[in-house]
């Protein structure tokens, strides 16, 4: 990426406008609502439910937070307030904690030009990439996630099946298979009408890490994003992924921390 032409501040502003303030539902049965200074998504229990963007001031912030709690409580849904490091007011994180939210691990919002990434990264011998198009492939994605991250990932499988059935042009997934065993997997979420596509869920099972699979899946998905007309790819990077992405040319735009309310 030519960092003299594309500034992190410009990319962050574009991201905020296209994917947060002007967000579109990310799955069937979901709706995005703009309520005062808040943009939120509400959908089925297995979907992502939460606050995408807010423009709060110190005077009204607590009331706006309480209004979101009331909304999701009335719907019987746990939800997430996706807090970015540049969101205001400055004490918003403390206010969320005081209101009963729980902070999860912070991640780094990163982005780069899709076409600037390598077209391909060599795979280890005996490994092939397979597109996920059916329920069997989705089960492999879920299996990899659960083995790689040690968490129940069944909701990811349901979300992926929903989108593959209802709007397959907005999502693609890939599994790396070795001797019939899924060893790495990742998703690409395409955002129609925007410059961005999102890289999600890149995970590799223990024993196959450090062999280039994560980089290969980044390159594979970025090529798809570019071919579909998306200029940038973005990722919420964990600490383990951030150095790899930096070496590939990704820029740091902000931090993002999920604040969950159950």
């Amino acid at each position: 990426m030519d960092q003299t032409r594309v500034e992190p501040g410009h990319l962050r502003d574009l991201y905020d406008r296209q994917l947060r303030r002007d967000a579109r539902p990310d799955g069937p049965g979901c709706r995005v609502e703009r309520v005062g200074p808040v943009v939120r998504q509400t959908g089925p229990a297995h979907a992502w439910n939460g606050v995408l963007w807010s423009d709060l001031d110190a005077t009204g912030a607590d009331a706006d937070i309480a209004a979101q709690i009331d909304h999701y409580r009335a719907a019987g849904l746990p939800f997430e307030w996706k807090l970015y490091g540049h969101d205001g007011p400055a004490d918003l994180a403390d206010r969320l904690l005081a209101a009963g939210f729980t902070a999860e691990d912070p991640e780094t919002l990163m982005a780069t030009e899709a076409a600037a990434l390598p077209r391909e990264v060599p795979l280890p011998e005996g490994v092939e990439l397979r597109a996920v198009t059916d329920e069997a492939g989705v089960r492999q994605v879920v299996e990899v996630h659960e083995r790689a991250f040690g968490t129940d990932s069944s909701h990811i499988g349901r979300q992926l099946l929903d989108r593959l059935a209802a709007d397959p042009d907005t999502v693609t997934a890939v599994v790396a298979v070795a001797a019939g065993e899924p060893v790495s997997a990742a998703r690409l979420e395409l955002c129609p009408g925007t410059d961005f596509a999102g890289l999600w869920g890149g995970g590799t099972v223990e024993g196959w890490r450090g062999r280039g699979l994560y980089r290969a899946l980044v390159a594979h998905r970025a090529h798809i994003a570019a071919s579909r007309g998306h200029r940038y790819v973005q990722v919420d990077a964990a600490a383990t992924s951030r150095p790899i992405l930096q070496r590939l040319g990704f820029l740091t735009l902000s931090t993002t921390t999920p604040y969950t309310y159950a």
Side-chain angles (χ1 to χ4, degrees):
M1 174 188 249
D2 184 350
Q3 297 186 23
T4 64
R5 292 187 297 107
V6 182
E7 295 295 331
H10 166 73
L11 274 183
R12 190 183 76 184
D13 291 346
L14 190 65
Y15 175 89
D16 278 351
R17 176 168 57 83
Q18 293 188 352
L19 297 189
R20 300 183 68 203
R21 294 201 302 271
D22 296 336
R24 302 179 184 188
D26 69 358
C30 297
R31 67 184 187 275
V32 170
E33 302 167 308
R34 293 158 183 83
V35 184
V38 169
V39 176
R40 69 190 181 207
Q41 175 169 287
T42 308
H46 65 273
W48 186 88
N49 288 280
V51 173
L52 292 153
W53 179 81
S54 64
D55 186 20
L56 309 185
D57 59 41
T59 302
D62 291 336
D64 289 319
I65 292 169
Q68 305 318 307
I69 293 173
D70 289 344
H71 166 74
Y72 288 103
R73 182 180 287 155
L77 294 168
F79 74 105
E80 174 184 315
W81 193 298
K82 196 168 172 61
L83 179 65
Y84 291 78
H86 57 286
D87 290 345
D91 64 348
L92 182 51
D94 292 334
R95 292 173 184 261
L96 292 171
L97 292 173
F101 287 79
T102 299
E104 306 296 338
D105 292 337
E107 296 177 311
T108 303
L109 175 64
M110 307 181 79
T112 191
E113 290 197 49
L117 291 168
R119 281 286 297 271
E120 294 181 358
V121 171
L123 293 167
E125 185 176 355
V127 175
E128 63 173 329
L129 299 186
R130 295 180 184 173
V132 173
T133 59
D134 57 18
E135 190 171 350
V138 171
R139 284 198 300 269
Q140 290 187 320
V141 171
V142 172
E143 177 187 337
V144 168
H145 281 231
E146 292 184 341
R147 291 175 62 195
F149 302 118
T151 57
D152 179 2
S153 299
S154 57
H155 66 289
I156 293 174
R158 291 192 64 186
Q159 292 171 13
L160 184 53
L161 282 171
D162 282 354
R163 291 183 69 171
L164 286 171
D167 203 356
D169 290 338
T170 67
V171 66
T172 185
V174 60
V175 176
V177 178
E181 176 191 3
V183 295
S184 189
R187 308 186 311 280
L188 173 70
E189 297 189 1
L190 303 146
C191 305
T194 78
D195 294 303
F196 291 91
L199 306 179
W200 296 97
T204 302
V205 303
E206 192 172 1
W208 283 91
R209 295 171 186 164
R211 301 174 68 176
L213 288 176
Y214 181 82
R215 289 185 295 113
L217 293 183
V218 168
H220 178 81
R221 290 175 290 163
H223 175 60
I224 294 172
S227 71
R228 304 250 188 115
H230 296 277
R231 182 174 180 185
Y232 303 110
V233 286
Q234 60 83 204
V235 60
D236 293 350
T240 51
S241 305
R242 188 169 62 244
I244 301 170
L245 295 167
Q246 286 175 330
R247 289 194 293 270
L248 287 170
F250 279 75
L251 299 175
T252 296
L253 309 187
S254 187
T255 59
T256 177
T257 305
Y259 281 77
T260 56
Y261 193 97

